[in-house]
Structure formats: structure tokens, C-alpha cells
Amino acid sequence: MSPVPIGILGGTFDPIHNGHLRLAQEALEQCSLGVIRFVPGGTPPHRNTPRASAEQRLDMVRLALHGNQSFELDDREIFRIDPCYTVDTLSALRAELGAMQPLCLLMGGDAFLTLDSWHQWKQLFELSHIVVVQRGGQPLGNAVNGASVPLREEYQARLALAPRILHESPAGAVLVVDMPVLEISATDIRKRCAERRSIRYLVPDSVADYIKFHHFYT
Ligand code: ATP
């Protein structure tokens, strides 16, 4: 029997919020994953420098995951000073966990539509499955029709109809799962903090308290 699939959720987590946590919970349940590893990024290759420091982002992820046995923190990327690509992280995990371990890279539909701009993006399918969490029943297929031809082809060739495939092979499938829309983004949370507005119920209370105590994003 194959080992139980592991989910991997990368992000800047500046800060982590309930949208990230709900995405992970939906994937965990709908795909019967064993655990989800949260991997906060270091210097994101595509994005601006995070506002909170690496230690602060780690603290917030640690607080947010506290008490959930199925969620784990993986800090392998965050202290790297060179650009750290998802393909490197997945290669390292594959080397550690063995060829038979199913890995599932989790992401929102917005992230999936940019996949063809990621470093060595086709290699990701050799290393992992991709579980795309689409929000509010907006069919991902429609959006993929407007994506680049190579991304569309990979999507169509790899699309799985049931989570079973994640348990039967270590990598290579794309599975789409649904979640309710939570209109939450780290950008919006930082903006609310800057405007001295509440971020309660958008992030776990422990994270809101930490942000307030340290006067982040103000
Ligand atoms: P920012 O606003 O700074 O760009 P973000 O809130 O979008 O940050 P990221 O770290 O960029 O967070 O996202 C990590 C992953 O979480 C991505 O795959 C993204 O699609 C997903 N995600 C972010 N916000 C939500 C949400 N509200 N619901 C579901 N998935 C989300």
C-alpha cells in the first residue's frame, strides 16, 4: 500500500490568514491527506520583499497552526538568502521522503493560472501532484482556457476526476477541489492594519494579537 499523501502549502504568509488555513483544511478533508506542511517562503522570486521578517512570519505561522495535529510547519525555505524555488523544495522533500511518497502541492486557482511562469514548472509534475483549490464553484477549466497553450495542455492531460489517484501514484496528477469564497488576502490585512482597522476573524486570534502587540504593518 502507498504511504498517505502529504500536502504542501507554500506562501509568503505575510501574514498567514484564514484563507490559507481553510484552503489547507479543505484539501486535507477532500483528498484524505495525512498532514499538510506549511512552507513559508524566503526571498520570493516573483514578488516584493515581505513586510514582516522571516522570524515574525514563522512565529505567526506557528501560532496559527498551534493545536492542529494535521498541520505542520516546515521552515526549510525561509532562511535561505538565495532565491528559493518550489521545484527545489519539492526535490528536497522527494529525496527525504522517497520515490513512493505521494506529494500534493496545494494552491489556489489564481496561483495555478500563473504556474507556467514558475521556475522549471513542468518539472513540478514529476515531483508532485497539484491540488488546485477553486473558490466559490468558479470552474477552473474556464479560466484555464484563457491560459497559455502549454499550461492548458498540461492541465488537460493531467486532470484527475477523483482524489483516489493522489493515493495511487506519487506525482503527476492535477486535482481540483472546491472551497467557499473567503475574500481574504494578506495585502488587504496589511492595508487594514495600516488604517488601524480590525483584522479580527480574518486571521486566528493568536495571530491578530501578535500583530497588534508588535505593531506590524502600521
Ligand atoms: P498577498 O495578498 O500578499 O499576495 P495572499 O494572501 O494571496 O498574499 P499568498 O502567500 O500569496 O497569500 O498565497 C499562498 C497560497 O494561498 C496561494 O496558493 C493562494 O492562491 C492561496 N490563497 C491566498 N488567499 C486565499 C484565500 N482567501 N482563499 C483561498 N486560497 C487563498
Side-chain angles (χ1 to χ4, degrees):
M1 216 171 84
S2 303
V4 181
I6 292 177
I8 297 141
L9 179 60
T12 315
F13 303 134
D14 186 24
I16 189 165
H17 56 67
N18 289 346
H20 299 131
L21 295 164
R22 194 61 221 172
L23 176 153
Q25 187 64 27
E26 292 286 351
L28 183 82
E29 280 178 23
Q30 294 188 41
C31 304
S32 306
L33 306 180
V35 291
I36 310 276
R37 289 196 186 191
F38 287 69
V39 189
T43 310
H46 295 114
R47 304 170 41 136
N48 299 329
T49 309
R51 291 275 306 278
S53 71
E55 284 83 2
Q56 292 160 345
R57 288 187 292 125
L58 265 186
D59 280 348
M60 291 189 280
V61 175
R62 213 174 271 121
L63 286 168
L65 306 192
H66 182 74
N68 188 333
Q69 305 286 321
S70 305
F71 288 178
E72 295 176 354
L73 171 62
D74 186 327
D75 64 2
R76 73 184 59 230
E77 280 191 11
I78 198 161
F79 293 115
R80 285 180 53 158
I81 38 175
D82 48 334
C84 186
Y85 297 104
T86 303
V87 70
D88 302 328
T89 300
L90 290 177
S91 299
L93 283 168
R94 175 60 68 210
E96 277 167 33
L97 300 169
M100 297 310 292
Q101 172 64 55
L103 298 177
C104 301
L105 182 63
L106 314 181
M107 62 184 74
D110 55 330
F112 183 77
L113 293 173
T114 68
L115 198 69
D116 54 353
S117 67
W118 294 25
H119 186 59
Q120 295 181 352
W121 68 279
K122 288 194 182 179
Q123 185 66 19
L124 298 173
F125 297 108
E126 307 300 321
L127 295 163
S128 170
H129 300 296
I130 297 190
V131 173
V132 189
V133 182
Q134 69 182 0
R135 305 181 207 177
Q138 292 290 328
L140 182 72
N142 290 354
V144 171
N145 283 337
S148 73
V149 174
L151 182 61
R152 204 160 65 216
E153 284 175 353
E154 292 292 342
Y155 171 80
Q156 284 162 354
R158 297 177 180 282
L159 188 61
L161 297 179
R164 205 183 57 224
I165 190 140
L166 308 178
H167 294 250
E168 292 173 346
S169 59
V174 173
L175 186 85
V176 182
V177 300
D178 269 316
M179 76 175 263
V181 183
L182 295 178
E183 279 300 344
I184 306 175
S185 72
T187 304
D188 177 63
I189 289 168
R190 294 192 300 270
K191 185 163 173 279
R192 284 170 194 266
C193 292
E195 294 167 356
R196 307 270 196 271
R197 291 162 66 203
S198 167
I199 56 167
R200 232 179 149 195
Y201 311 123
L202 299 174
V203 300
D205 283 348
S206 54
V207 174
D209 291 345
Y210 184 93
I211 290 173
K212 196 169 176 189
F213 183 80
H214 292 281
H215 306 289
F216 288 166
Y217 311 124
T218 50

Short mmCIF file of all heavy atoms in Angstrom, two decimals, residues 12-49:
data_model
loop_
_atom_site.label_atom_id
_atom_site.label_comp_id
_atom_site.label_asym_id
_atom_site.label_seq_id
_atom_site.Cartn_x
_atom_site.Cartn_y
_atom_site.Cartn_z
N THR A 12 3.89 33.29 1.09
CA THR A 12 4.70 34.28 1.80
C THR A 12 4.23 34.38 3.25
O THR A 12 5.02 34.62 4.15
CB THR A 12 4.58 35.65 1.09
OG1 THR A 12 4.71 35.43 -0.31
CG2 THR A 12 5.66 36.59 1.53
N PHE A 13 2.93 34.19 3.45
CA PHE A 13 2.34 34.22 4.79
C PHE A 13 2.74 35.51 5.53
O PHE A 13 3.26 35.47 6.64
CB PHE A 13 2.73 32.97 5.59
CG PHE A 13 2.33 31.68 4.93
CD1 PHE A 13 3.21 30.60 4.84
CD2 PHE A 13 1.08 31.53 4.36
CE1 PHE A 13 2.84 29.41 4.22
CE2 PHE A 13 0.69 30.34 3.74
CZ PHE A 13 1.59 29.29 3.67
N ASP A 14 2.44 36.61 4.89
CA ASP A 14 2.83 37.95 5.39
C ASP A 14 1.59 38.82 5.59
O ASP A 14 1.45 39.84 4.90
CB ASP A 14 3.79 38.56 4.37
CG ASP A 14 4.38 39.88 4.83
OD1 ASP A 14 4.44 40.10 6.04
OD2 ASP A 14 4.80 40.68 3.97
N PRO A 15 0.66 38.43 6.49
CA PRO A 15 0.70 37.29 7.42
C PRO A 15 -0.12 36.10 6.90
O PRO A 15 -0.88 36.23 5.93
CB PRO A 15 0.00 37.87 8.66
CG PRO A 15 -1.09 38.72 8.04
CD PRO A 15 -0.49 39.31 6.80
N ILE A 16 0.03 34.96 7.59
CA ILE A 16 -0.88 33.82 7.36
C ILE A 16 -2.30 34.26 7.76
O ILE A 16 -2.46 35.07 8.67
CB ILE A 16 -0.42 32.59 8.17
CG1 ILE A 16 -1.22 31.35 7.77
CG2 ILE A 16 -0.47 32.85 9.68
CD1 ILE A 16 -0.61 30.05 8.25
N HIS A 17 -3.31 33.77 7.04
CA HIS A 17 -4.68 34.17 7.37
C HIS A 17 -5.64 32.99 7.20
O HIS A 17 -5.23 31.89 6.80
CB HIS A 17 -5.10 35.39 6.53
CG HIS A 17 -4.97 35.21 5.05
ND1 HIS A 17 -5.75 34.34 4.34
CD2 HIS A 17 -4.14 35.80 4.13
CE1 HIS A 17 -5.42 34.41 3.05
NE2 HIS A 17 -4.44 35.28 2.90
N ASN A 18 -6.92 33.25 7.48
CA ASN A 18 -7.89 32.16 7.49
C ASN A 18 -8.15 31.58 6.09
O ASN A 18 -8.60 30.44 5.98
CB ASN A 18 -9.21 32.63 8.12
CG ASN A 18 -9.06 32.84 9.62
OD1 ASN A 18 -8.08 32.40 10.21
ND2 ASN A 18 -10.02 33.52 10.23
N GLY A 19 -7.88 32.35 5.04
CA GLY A 19 -8.00 31.81 3.68
C GLY A 19 -6.99 30.68 3.47
O GLY A 19 -7.33 29.62 2.92
N HIS A 20 -5.75 30.89 3.92
CA HIS A 20 -4.72 29.84 3.81
C HIS A 20 -5.12 28.61 4.63
O HIS A 20 -5.00 27.47 4.17
CB HIS A 20 -3.37 30.34 4.36
CG HIS A 20 -2.81 31.52 3.66
ND1 HIS A 20 -2.35 32.63 4.33
CD2 HIS A 20 -2.61 31.78 2.34
CE1 HIS A 20 -1.89 33.52 3.47
NE2 HIS A 20 -2.05 33.03 2.25
N LEU A 21 -5.60 28.87 5.84
CA LEU A 21 -5.92 27.75 6.74
C LEU A 21 -7.10 26.96 6.22
O LEU A 21 -7.13 25.73 6.26
CB LEU A 21 -6.20 28.29 8.15
CG LEU A 21 -4.98 28.94 8.81
CD1 LEU A 21 -5.40 29.78 10.01
CD2 LEU A 21 -3.96 27.88 9.23
N ARG A 22 -8.09 27.66 5.68
CA ARG A 22 -9.27 26.98 5.16
C ARG A 22 -8.93 26.19 3.90
O ARG A 22 -9.41 25.08 3.69
CB ARG A 22 -10.37 28.03 4.88
CG ARG A 22 -11.73 27.47 4.66
CD ARG A 22 -12.26 26.70 5.87
NE ARG A 22 -12.94 25.49 5.43
CZ ARG A 22 -13.37 24.53 6.23
NH1 ARG A 22 -13.19 24.61 7.53
NH2 ARG A 22 -13.97 23.48 5.74
N LEU A 23 -8.08 26.78 3.05
CA LEU A 23 -7.62 26.05 1.85
C LEU A 23 -6.99 24.71 2.27
O LEU A 23 -7.30 23.66 1.72
CB LEU A 23 -6.61 26.92 1.10
CG LEU A 23 -5.92 26.34 -0.15
CD1 LEU A 23 -5.51 27.47 -1.09
CD2 LEU A 23 -4.69 25.54 0.16
N ALA A 24 -6.12 24.78 3.28
CA ALA A 24 -5.44 23.56 3.74
C ALA A 24 -6.43 22.56 4.31
O ALA A 24 -6.35 21.35 4.05
CB ALA A 24 -4.39 23.93 4.79
N GLN A 25 -7.40 23.05 5.07
CA GLN A 25 -8.37 22.16 5.70
C GLN A 25 -9.25 21.48 4.64
O GLN A 25 -9.54 20.28 4.73
CB GLN A 25 -9.25 22.97 6.68
CG GLN A 25 -10.19 22.14 7.52
CD GLN A 25 -9.46 21.19 8.47
OE1 GLN A 25 -8.33 21.45 8.87
NE2 GLN A 25 -10.08 20.07 8.79
N GLU A 26 -9.64 22.24 3.62
CA GLU A 26 -10.47 21.66 2.55
C GLU A 26 -9.69 20.56 1.82
O GLU A 26 -10.22 19.49 1.53
CB GLU A 26 -10.89 22.74 1.53
CG GLU A 26 -11.85 23.77 2.07
CD GLU A 26 -13.28 23.25 2.24
OE1 GLU A 26 -13.60 22.13 1.81
OE2 GLU A 26 -14.08 23.99 2.85
N ALA A 27 -8.43 20.84 1.52
CA ALA A 27 -7.62 19.85 0.80
C ALA A 27 -7.40 18.61 1.67
O ALA A 27 -7.51 17.47 1.19
CB ALA A 27 -6.28 20.46 0.39
N LEU A 28 -7.13 18.84 2.93
CA LEU A 28 -6.91 17.73 3.87
C LEU A 28 -8.10 16.78 3.87
O LEU A 28 -7.96 15.56 3.71
CB LEU A 28 -6.69 18.31 5.28
CG LEU A 28 -6.38 17.30 6.37
CD1 LEU A 28 -4.88 16.96 6.35
CD2 LEU A 28 -6.74 17.85 7.75
N GLU A 29 -9.29 17.37 4.01
CA GLU A 29 -10.51 16.55 4.13
C GLU A 29 -10.92 15.95 2.80
O GLU A 29 -11.18 14.76 2.70
CB GLU A 29 -11.67 17.43 4.62
CG GLU A 29 -11.64 17.66 6.11
CD GLU A 29 -12.77 18.57 6.56
OE1 GLU A 29 -13.80 18.68 5.87
OE2 GLU A 29 -12.59 19.19 7.61
N GLN A 30 -10.95 16.78 1.77
CA GLN A 30 -11.50 16.30 0.49
C GLN A 30 -10.57 15.29 -0.18
O GLN A 30 -11.02 14.47 -0.96
CB GLN A 30 -11.77 17.48 -0.45
CG GLN A 30 -12.88 18.39 0.05
CD GLN A 30 -13.26 19.44 -0.98
OE1 GLN A 30 -13.36 19.15 -2.17
NE2 GLN A 30 -13.48 20.66 -0.53
N CYS A 31 -9.28 15.37 0.12
CA CYS A 31 -8.31 14.46 -0.53
C CYS A 31 -7.79 13.41 0.44
O CYS A 31 -6.91 12.62 0.07
CB CYS A 31 -7.14 15.25 -1.10
SG CYS A 31 -7.62 16.52 -2.25
N SER A 32 -8.29 13.39 1.67
CA SER A 32 -7.82 12.44 2.71
C SER A 32 -6.30 12.44 2.81
O SER A 32 -5.66 11.38 2.74
CB SER A 32 -8.32 11.03 2.41
OG SER A 32 -9.71 11.02 2.25
N LEU A 33 -5.73 13.63 2.95
CA LEU A 33 -4.28 13.73 3.10
C LEU A 33 -3.90 13.39 4.54
O LEU A 33 -4.73 13.48 5.45
CB LEU A 33 -3.80 15.15 2.75
CG LEU A 33 -4.23 15.69 1.38
CD1 LEU A 33 -3.70 17.11 1.17
CD2 LEU A 33 -3.76 14.78 0.26
N GLY A 34 -2.63 13.02 4.74
CA GLY A 34 -2.17 12.69 6.09
C GLY A 34 -1.92 13.96 6.89
O GLY A 34 -2.50 14.17 7.95
N VAL A 35 -1.05 14.79 6.38
CA VAL A 35 -0.74 16.08 7.02
C VAL A 35 -0.56 17.13 5.92
O VAL A 35 -0.38 16.79 4.75
CB VAL A 35 0.58 16.05 7.84
CG1 VAL A 35 0.46 15.19 9.08
CG2 VAL A 35 1.76 15.64 6.99
N ILE A 36 -0.60 18.38 6.35
CA ILE A 36 -0.25 19.48 5.44
C ILE A 36 0.98 20.17 6.01
O ILE A 36 0.99 20.53 7.20
CB ILE A 36 -1.37 20.55 5.36
CG1 ILE A 36 -2.74 19.94 5.10
CG2 ILE A 36 -1.00 21.63 4.35
CD1 ILE A 36 -3.11 19.65 3.71
N ARG A 37 1.98 20.34 5.19
CA ARG A 37 3.15 21.09 5.61
C ARG A 37 3.05 22.51 5.07
O ARG A 37 2.93 22.69 3.85
CB ARG A 37 4.43 20.47 5.05
CG ARG A 37 4.77 19.17 5.71
CD ARG A 37 6.21 18.86 5.37
NE ARG A 37 6.56 17.54 5.85
CZ ARG A 37 7.78 17.07 5.90
NH1 ARG A 37 8.79 17.83 5.47
NH2 ARG A 37 8.03 15.87 6.34
N PHE A 38 3.13 23.48 5.94
CA PHE A 38 3.14 24.89 5.55
C PHE A 38 4.59 25.30 5.38
O PHE A 38 5.39 25.14 6.30
CB PHE A 38 2.47 25.75 6.62
CG PHE A 38 0.97 25.61 6.67
CD1 PHE A 38 0.38 24.44 7.10
CD2 PHE A 38 0.15 26.65 6.28
CE1 PHE A 38 -1.01 24.30 7.15
CE2 PHE A 38 -1.24 26.54 6.32
CZ PHE A 38 -1.82 25.35 6.76
N VAL A 39 4.92 25.82 4.20
CA VAL A 39 6.31 26.16 3.90
C VAL A 39 6.41 27.66 3.60
O VAL A 39 6.24 28.08 2.44
CB VAL A 39 6.82 25.35 2.68
CG1 VAL A 39 8.33 25.54 2.51
CG2 VAL A 39 6.47 23.87 2.81
N PRO A 40 6.68 28.47 4.62
CA PRO A 40 6.82 29.91 4.35
C PRO A 40 8.04 30.16 3.47
O PRO A 40 9.10 29.58 3.69
CB PRO A 40 7.01 30.54 5.74
CG PRO A 40 6.70 29.47 6.73
CD PRO A 40 6.85 28.15 6.04
N GLY A 41 7.87 31.02 2.48
CA GLY A 41 8.94 31.28 1.52
C GLY A 41 9.97 32.26 2.06
O GLY A 41 9.68 33.07 2.95
N GLY A 42 11.17 32.18 1.51
CA GLY A 42 12.24 33.12 1.88
C GLY A 42 12.11 34.36 1.02
O GLY A 42 11.16 35.13 1.14
N THR A 43 13.05 34.53 0.12
CA THR A 43 13.00 35.66 -0.81
C THR A 43 12.18 35.20 -2.00
O THR A 43 12.65 34.42 -2.80
CB THR A 43 14.42 36.01 -1.29
OG1 THR A 43 15.25 36.10 -0.15
CG2 THR A 43 14.43 37.30 -2.06
N PRO A 44 10.94 35.67 -2.14
CA PRO A 44 10.13 35.14 -3.23
C PRO A 44 10.67 35.60 -4.58
O PRO A 44 10.89 36.79 -4.76
CB PRO A 44 8.74 35.72 -2.97
CG PRO A 44 8.82 36.44 -1.67
CD PRO A 44 10.25 36.68 -1.36
N PRO A 45 10.89 34.66 -5.51
CA PRO A 45 11.45 35.04 -6.81
C PRO A 45 10.58 36.02 -7.59
O PRO A 45 11.09 36.82 -8.33
CB PRO A 45 11.56 33.71 -7.56
CG PRO A 45 11.43 32.64 -6.54
CD PRO A 45 10.69 33.23 -5.37
N HIS A 46 9.25 35.97 -7.38
CA HIS A 46 8.37 36.78 -8.22
C HIS A 46 7.88 38.04 -7.54
O HIS A 46 7.11 38.78 -8.10
CB HIS A 46 7.08 36.00 -8.54
CG HIS A 46 7.32 34.80 -9.35
ND1 HIS A 46 7.12 33.54 -8.87
CD2 HIS A 46 7.77 34.67 -10.60
CE1 HIS A 46 7.43 32.67 -9.81
NE2 HIS A 46 7.82 33.34 -10.86
N ARG A 47 8.18 38.23 -6.27
CA ARG A 47 7.41 39.22 -5.53
C ARG A 47 8.29 40.19 -4.78
O ARG A 47 9.49 40.05 -4.73
CB ARG A 47 6.51 38.52 -4.51
CG ARG A 47 5.62 37.50 -5.14
CD ARG A 47 4.93 36.67 -4.10
NE ARG A 47 4.49 37.48 -2.99
CZ ARG A 47 3.30 37.37 -2.44
NH1 ARG A 47 2.43 36.52 -2.92
NH2 ARG A 47 2.98 38.10 -1.42
N ASN A 48 7.65 41.17 -4.16
CA ASN A 48 8.36 42.14 -3.35
C ASN A 48 8.80 41.49 -2.04
O ASN A 48 8.26 40.48 -1.63
CB ASN A 48 7.45 43.32 -3.05
CG ASN A 48 7.02 44.01 -4.32
OD1 ASN A 48 7.76 44.01 -5.30
ND2 ASN A 48 5.82 44.54 -4.31
N THR A 49 9.76 42.13 -1.41
CA THR A 49 10.23 41.64 -0.12
C THR A 49 9.08 41.67 0.90
O THR A 49 8.36 42.66 0.96
CB THR A 49 11.37 42.55 0.39
OG1 THR A 49 12.29 42.66 -0.68
CG2 THR A 49 12.05 41.97 1.60
#
